Amino acid sequence: MIAGAIIVALLLSGLYQVPIPTLSGLLAFTVFYLVYLFWVFKEWNTHFSGHRTTRRDKNSPSNRKMPPIKTLEENKKLILNNSKHHEQFDTCELLNDVKTMEVTRKENHIIRERAKRSMSLSVKVKGRVGEMMTGALLGSLNHVEVADELDMDHVYVSFFDFLWAFTFIGPFSYLLWKHGTIVLRIRQFLWKRGLIKPEECDYEAMCATLLLEQTQAIHYYARTDEGSELGNIAGFFFANFPWVDNQCNYQVADLFAVDIDLDTKRFVKAKLDDINLNAKETVILLWFNTIAAQHVKLHAMANWGVNVDESLANVNPFFRQSSVVTIMYNYFGYTSFNGFLKTWAKEGLVSPGRLKANKPLVQAFNHGIKNNVWQHAQIVDLVKYSDFVNFVVQVRSIFFAEFEKHKKLFPGTDGEAMFVGTILHSLDHCLMDWNVKDPLWLDVDDPRFGKMAEVGRIVKVGFVSDVPGLYFHKRFKGSGHPFYDAVYRKAAKVNKKLADNMDTCIIK
C-alpha cells in the first residue's frame, strides 16, 4: 500500500517522465528511507521522548550552573593521601611541590567573568510596550544552584533535529568506524602472520607526547627545581585512576604517576600504585585514560555551552546547528558506543569480557565525568615545552574576549563550556590522531593491560579522525560567522596548523 501510494505521488509530480531504472532507484531509496525513518523514530522515542528535558527545565543538569572545577589544594591533598598507601612513592621528589599561582588565578577570574552565561536561552525580543524582554519569562536558567556533577548525555532535541543528525551525520560516522575496523582486522591478521611490519614506535618519546601535546597536560603537577641533579623533570599525577584489567574488571588505582624529561621530551619513570611500569605499558594507560576518563570530561562540559532553542533558528542558525551536532555526538559517544562492543567482540577485536553486565568501559567513562576537572594553573610551566599548551593559553584569552563582545548571539551559553566543547575537544582529537600514528603500537598482548589496548585500537581507527561526507561547515576557519571568524584570525597568528583544526562543535 505504501509503495503504491509512493508510485502515485511520483506520477502526479511528473516523475513519470523519468527513465524506469532511475524511477526504480528513487522508489527503492524512498522505501528504504521510510523504514530507516521508522527505526530512527523508535530510537528517539526510547532515548529522548519522555526521558529527557530541555535545558529550560529545572530538572535538567545544565539548567543549573556548571559544577566548578576542583581546587588545586583538593587535588594536592588527594594525591598526597593516596600516595601514602604505597611505599614506592615515599621517595618521590615532586609530590610535595605545588606552587600557589595567585597571578594566574586573578587572570582566570577575569576570564570567568567574561564567560558567564546569560540567564535565558532565548534571544532578546521586543515587548509589547517596546521594552526588551528575555526568555527568562518563558523558563529561565538557574543562576543560583550548581549542578551536582557533570553529565555527558542528557540534553533533549526534537525528533526532527534527531532525524537530521541520523540522516546527515550518523551514516558517515558509521562508515568511518566500519571502514577503520575492517582495515584494522586485515592488518592484525597480516601482522600476526609476519606479512607486514608496522613502523617502530619510540615509546619513551610517545609517553612525553601524550602528556604534553594533549589535554592530559592538565595532570601536570610539578617539576624539579632549576639545577636539580635529576634534571628538568616534570611529574604528572593521576589520583583515583580508572583502568580495566585483563579479566575485564573495572579497577581504580590510588595513584598513577609519570615523570618525563622536559628537555629531551622522553619518559623517565612511571608507577601505578605498587607497579613499576615501562614506557610501553605507560603508553597503554595514557591512551586508555585519554579515551575513557579524560576526553569524556570535555564532552560533558560541552552541554553547558550549547543552545537548541527555536528562537536561535533565524538569529544564530549556525550556532544552533552546531549545538544540535554536539548534543547528538554526545549521545552517539555515550549511549550508542557501548552497544557496538557486541559487534566488535564477534569480529574478534575485543574480548567477550567487555560485554559484562557491569559495563567496565562505561564505569570508566562515568568515573572520568563525575570526577570533573582539577584546577591546573601551574600548567603555564609547560608553555615553552608544548605547542598545544602554548596555543591554548593564548587562544583561551582571545576566545573569551571575543565571546564577551558577541555574547548576545549566544544566550544561555557558558563561555568556558563552549571553549571546551569546541577548541579543546577538536584539538584533542586532532592531536590523538597525529600522536599515535599506528594503532598496532598499542599492545593487545600485554599480560597486564592488553584488554585496554583492544579498545584503544578501535578508537584510534574509528573515532578519532574527521568524519567524511559532511555537507555542513564545522570549522572556525571560513565559518562566515563574526565570532568564529574573529577567534580564528587571531588564533592563526599563534599557530595556524592548530587554528585550522578548531571545530565549532563536537563532530568526532
Side-chain angles (χ1 to χ4, degrees):
M1 183 177 291
I2 293 177
I6 294 171
I7 292 174
V8 171
L10 293 175
L11 290 173
L12 291 177
S13 65
L15 288 177
Y16 63 89
Q17 298 177 359
V18 176
I20 294 299
T22 303
L23 187 60
S24 300
L26 287 172
L27 179 59
F29 174 79
T30 303
V31 172
F32 170 80
Y33 189 74
L34 285 174
V35 173
Y36 182 65
L37 185 150
F38 179 70
W39 175 81
V40 171
F41 178 78
K42 287 177 64 178
E43 290 294 301
W44 177 81
N45 199 48
T46 300
H47 298 290
F48 281 74
S49 179
H51 301 281
R52 302 181 182 217
T53 60
T54 68
R55 291 188 60 215
R56 290 185 180 280
D57 193 288
K58 65 180 181 180
N59 294 315
S60 172
S62 53
N63 176 268
R64 286 163 278 169
K65 295 167 67 175
M66 187 168 66
I69 62 175
K70 298 181 180 180
T71 67
L72 199 64
E73 289 75 17
E74 286 181 272
N75 191 25
K76 179 177 180 179
K77 182 178 180 181
L78 180 62
I79 289 172
L80 290 175
N81 285 341
N82 285 10
S83 69
K84 293 174 183 176
H85 299 297
H86 306 279
E87 185 177 346
Q88 66 171 345
F89 288 108
D90 289 348
T91 58
C92 181
E93 314 80 14
L94 298 172
L95 270 176
N96 293 293
D97 183 19
V98 176
K99 301 172 184 176
T100 301
M101 307 289 289
E102 289 300 332
V103 175
T104 302
R105 286 176 179 172
K106 288 178 182 178
E107 292 174 351
N108 284 342
H109 174 73
I110 294 172
I111 286 176
R112 282 191 292 272
E113 287 298 311
R114 291 174 174 173
K116 279 185 177 178
R117 66 184 185 180
S118 60
M119 294 180 66
S120 169
L121 287 167
S122 295
V123 178
K124 291 183 178 181
V125 295
K126 288 283 185 180
R128 289 185 179 179
V129 293
E131 77 278 11
M132 296 301 289
M133 300 193 305
T134 70
L137 299 177
L138 304 174
S140 63
L141 296 174
N142 191 325
H143 266 241
V144 178
E145 296 180 287
V146 176
D148 295 331
E149 58 192 27
L150 293 174
D151 190 309
M152 179 173 165
D153 186 24
H154 69 272
V155 182
Y156 174 87
V157 296
S158 70
F159 171 67
F160 291 105
D161 286 332
F162 191 84
L163 177 62
W164 175 83
F166 264 85
T167 302
F168 298 110
I169 302 173
F172 302 103
S173 177
Y174 172 81
L175 288 174
L176 176 64
W177 73 252
K178 197 65 179 177
H179 172 267
T181 53
I182 289 172
V183 173
L184 176 61
R185 289 170 64 192
I186 293 171
R187 292 190 70 228
Q188 288 183 162
F189 176 85
L190 295 175
W191 188 31
K192 286 183 178 179
R193 285 153 183 79
L195 298 175
I196 63 170
K197 185 178 181 181
E199 179 185 342
E200 290 294 323
C201 175
D202 184 343
Y203 288 101
E204 292 192 354
M206 179 62 64
C207 286
T209 300
L210 293 179
L211 288 167
L212 291 173
E213 303 297 345
Q214 287 179 193
T215 60
Q216 285 188 122
I218 67 171
H219 289 278
Y220 165 70
Y221 187 83
R223 58 190 284 199
T224 52
D225 294 329
E226 189 174 349
S228 169
E229 294 180 358
L230 299 172
N232 189 14
I233 308 300
F236 295 77
F237 293 80
F238 304 74
N240 294 339
F241 181 82
W243 61 289
V244 176
D245 65 24
N246 269 9
Q247 287 69 51
C248 292
N249 294 315
Y250 169 71
Q251 306 280 358
V252 178
D254 287 324
L255 189 59
F256 173 45
V258 186
D259 289 358
I260 63 170
D261 188 311
L262 290 175
D263 292 332
T264 63
K265 295 185 179 180
R266 297 186 68 81
F267 171 87
V268 176
K269 62 181 178 180
K271 305 169 186 176
L272 182 72
D273 286 349
D274 294 317
I275 304 172
N276 286 306
L277 306 168
N278 60 39
K280 194 174 186 179
E281 294 170 321
T282 303
V283 164
I284 295 174
L285 289 169
L286 288 173
W287 184 256
F288 182 77
N289 182 68
T290 296
I291 64 177
Q294 172 68 23
H295 190 74
V296 291
K297 300 177 193 290
L298 312 182
H299 280 262
M301 292 179 74
N303 284 322
W304 276 260
V306 297
N307 187 349
V308 294
D309 194 86
E310 290 297 335
S311 65
L312 286 174
N314 295 320
V315 178
N316 197 355
F318 184 73
F319 172 58
R320 187 186 182 281
Q321 177 180 272
S322 294
S323 295
V324 170
V325 175
T326 292
I327 293 167
M328 288 304 301
Y329 236 90
N330 278 347
Y331 165 74
F332 293 151
Y334 184 85
T335 299
S336 301
F337 184 88
N338 196 67
F340 300 145
L341 290 173
K342 187 174 182 179
T343 297
W344 297 329
K346 287 181 179 179
E347 294 174 346
L349 291 172
V350 298
S351 301
R354 285 285 179 190
L355 306 178
K356 288 183 176 181
N358 61 359
K359 299 180 179 178
L361 183 59
V362 174
Q363 288 189 69
F365 286 170
N366 289 339
H367 180 99
I369 294 166
K370 294 178 187 298
N371 269 20
N372 204 328
V373 175
W374 298 104
Q375 191 179 50
H376 43 276
Q378 72 277 16
I379 202 172
V380 293
D381 290 352
L382 302 179
V383 164
K384 64 183 291 189
Y385 303 102
S386 165
D387 290 339
F388 172 65
V389 174
N390 178 58
F391 180 79
V392 170
V393 167
Q394 295 185 62
V395 174
R396 185 167 177 260
S397 297
I398 293 169
F399 182 97
F400 291 119
E402 293 299 330
F403 182 80
E404 188 174 37
K405 295 177 187 176
H406 298 88
K407 188 178 287 189
K408 64 182 180 181
L409 295 175
F410 303 99
T413 305
D414 184 296
E416 188 79 63
M418 186 179 173
F419 175 75
V420 168
T422 57
I423 293 177
L424 281 188
H425 174 269
S426 54
L427 293 185
D428 209 31
H429 267 270
C430 285
L431 290 164
M432 288 161 66
D433 202 22
W434 299 341
N435 293 341
V436 178
K437 295 180 175 61
D438 194 330
L440 299 182
W441 290 349
L442 302 168
D443 185 7
V444 297
D445 297 318
D446 185 272
R448 284 191 287 215
F449 307 122
K451 296 298 183 286
M452 288 186 287
E454 291 177 347
V455 175
R457 285 185 177 183
I458 292 172
V459 171
K460 161 59 186 172
V461 300
F463 297 91
V464 170
S465 58
D466 286 336
V467 176
L470 301 177
Y471 81 88
F472 55 89
H473 194 84
K474 62 167 188 170
R475 301 281 201 211
F476 275 67
K477 181 182 180 181
S479 68
H481 189 285
F483 167 73
Y484 299 105
D485 281 351
V487 173
Y488 171 76
R489 282 194 301 272
K490 296 176 181 178
K493 294 178 181 178
V494 179
N495 184 315
K496 189 175 186 301
K497 182 179 180 181
L498 293 178
D500 285 350
N501 286 280
M502 299 188 308
D503 289 339
T504 64
C505 54
I506 289 180
I507 183 56
K508 51 187 173 183

